[in-house]
Amino acid sequence: MTTTLESDIDDLWHRYDDGLTAADADAGVRRTLDEFLDALEAGEVRAARKTGAGVDSWVANEWVKRGVLLNFGLRETERREYGGVGYYDVLPLRETDDLEARGARNTPDGTVLRRGAHLGDDTIMMSPSFVNVGAFVGDGTLVDSCDTVGSCAQLGEGVKLGANTLIGGVLEPVEDAPVVVEDGVSLGAGCRVTSGFRVGENSVVGENTLLTPRIPVYDLVEEEVVYGHLPENRRAFTRFVESSVSDHDLFDGGAYKPAVVATDVETETLEATRREDALRE
């Protein structure tokens, strides 16, 4: 099915590039778009894949990201209704009838799953929270209150997102890998992970840490500076380092910029995060 679906999406992409519009989309086009969203929701296709052992080996599945874009370009905006409130969008919200049988749960009044989002078994969504189209949320993951999981973001199994955490999405350009958070990662409250940053498995990230490719990660384990990813099994937190503009005439005193410091995950840190599992039973 995946091979056929990929071929159908590639064909639609070429037709769209040649001028096909939402007004021209017939029943066959809409059927392909719906089948694609169904495959995303089932976890049969994903916006990114891991090609090697390291967290830095994730690459985009370009045809999948094109399929997401086609669902915007080849659909008309319609009036829809949710909870008695009218809204206007090209996509409806995702049906949630499958969640009970898979042990997943979402609290009322504010947990929003957009069409084309995958929610794994035994996951929890606390309100208010939002998971966008093309996102993959792995089994046993917690999406806490005021969290956002952006378009095409990839969350592994057993991930814990602290309250008010932003997982950015990368939809365009299609060749860029989206944000990836691997299995067993714990992100403290208020974290921001953006612009295709990748977080290695079993890492623990302190509250209010900003992870983005523009901010250096000082890895004290390997004694190197890396950009765009946090290696696996790290404890990471924000520190400030001196900026190159520190000696500018407009400044009295130094100027500093944010950086991320990464050390080995300590046994005590892992035990503390695992104790939170009791809240999920």
Side-chain angles (χ1 to χ4, degrees), residues 218-226 231 234 262:
Y218 290 83
D219 183 12
L220 304 187
V221 177
E222 296 295 333
E223 297 187 347
E224 62 182 359
V225 181
V226 298
R234 297 293 193 269

Side-chain angles (χ1 to χ4, degrees), residues 79-87:
R79 186 188 188 280
R80 305 178 187 279
E81 190 168 302
Y82 175 76
V85 177
Y87 69 98

